[in-house]
Amino acid sequence: MTMAEKMKNSMVFFNPFAKDNPVVVQILGICSVLAVTTKLEPAVVMGLSVIVVLAFSNVIISLLRNTIPTNIRIIVQLVVVAGLVVVVNEMLKAFAYDVSKQLSVFIGLIITNCILMGRLEAFAMSNRPWPAFLDGIGNGIGYSIILIIVGFFRELLGNGTLWGARIVPESWYEAGYVNNGMMILPPMALILVACIIWVQRSYNKELQEP
């Protein structure tokens, strides 16, 4: 592998973390950010699930890209993603049943996540398996970072807990502290994402509109 290829692969992997984040730059996957971030644990599990599905679906589509007829490529992509989502869903039911119940239908809705379909169509269909794998991992991590940040603040400020463990001391409540009930409402997820966008664009001038 040449130095140029290494640099390109590095950009493919790291850019989605911040500079080209799928949620706060491309504005994709917002629905799941609203739905699964009231607590940190389901946010982490959802993020990991998307990383796995996105990485392996990218690789599979990249391997098949030269044999898929153009007129049915979207159907093939959906079938691949759906198969991987079923596997992930069954694994969660087997090893993390409580979290699986919390995520409910949202694991299944990974199939329609715009991030997945966008990366399959825009990258995996025109690149080799290794770069496609890195693209899937990078975009999955970028998506997960936003979920974890939003889930962290919503659970901490909304419930006083993290991962179900009490963080805010009981003495604070006795002194008059009250959890912010608005944090567990869907609009607060949008507000937190908006704050992340504002911070990111403040540090990345090239993302600011003229």
Side-chain angles (χ1 to χ4, degrees):
M1 184 181 296
T2 66
M3 183 60 67
E5 289 176 327
K6 289 181 180 178
M7 289 292 294
K8 182 180 178 181
N9 287 344
S10 178
M11 291 177 63
V12 164
F13 181 73
F14 288 108
N15 275 2
F17 290 10
K19 192 174 181 179
D20 197 25
N21 188 277
V23 179
V24 298
V25 176
Q26 301 175 42
I27 317 297
L28 301 175
I30 294 292
C31 293
S32 52
V33 174
L34 298 178
V36 304
T37 55
T38 53
K39 293 184 178 179
L40 184 59
E41 185 178 11
V44 171
V45 173
M46 183 68 169
L48 291 173
S49 300
V50 169
I51 290 171
V52 171
V53 173
L54 184 51
F56 286 100
S57 61
N58 260 16
V59 171
I60 293 170
I61 293 300
S62 178
L63 289 169
L64 298 175
R65 70 188 187 280
N66 294 323
T67 61
I68 301 174
T70 303
N71 58 336
I72 63 165
R73 69 186 189 284
I74 301 297
I75 297 173
V76 173
Q77 291 168 14
L78 285 171
V79 169
V80 170
V81 173
L84 289 168
V85 168
V86 169
V87 172
V88 169
N89 194 32
E90 293 304 310
M91 292 289 286
L92 287 176
K93 287 180 180 178
F95 298 104
Y97 184 70
D98 290 340
V99 180
S100 176
K101 286 178 63 178
Q102 291 180 55
L103 290 171
S104 183
V105 299
F106 296 105
I107 287 293
L109 289 176
I110 292 175
I111 298 169
T112 60
N113 193 313
C114 299
I115 298 172
L116 274 93
M117 299 310 298
R119 298 324 299 166
L120 292 176
E121 186 70 10
F123 198 90
M125 285 293 292
S126 56
N127 286 276
R128 291 178 295 176
W130 178 243
F133 178 75
L134 292 177
D135 180 79
I137 293 288
N139 278 276
I141 292 174
Y143 169 83
S144 301
I145 288 170
I146 305 303
L147 255 67
I148 291 169
I149 292 173
V150 175
F152 176 90
F153 285 106
R154 291 184 75 188
E155 183 176 0
L156 179 62
L157 300 178
N159 296 314
T161 61
L162 283 177
W163 211 276
R166 175 62 56 191
I167 299 298
V168 177
E170 196 64 37
S171 59
W172 286 28
Y173 294 104
E174 294 172 359
Y177 177 83
V178 178
N179 291 329
N180 186 344
M182 286 192 65
M183 276 291 174
I184 60 176
L185 299 178
M188 286 308 301
L190 281 178
I191 292 171
L192 288 171
V193 170
C195 291
I196 296 170
I197 292 173
W198 174 69
V199 170
Q200 188 206 31
R201 297 198 177 190
S202 296
Y203 283 93
N204 292 276
K205 304 298 183 182
E206 65 273 17
L207 296 177
Q208 297 178 9
E209 297 180 4

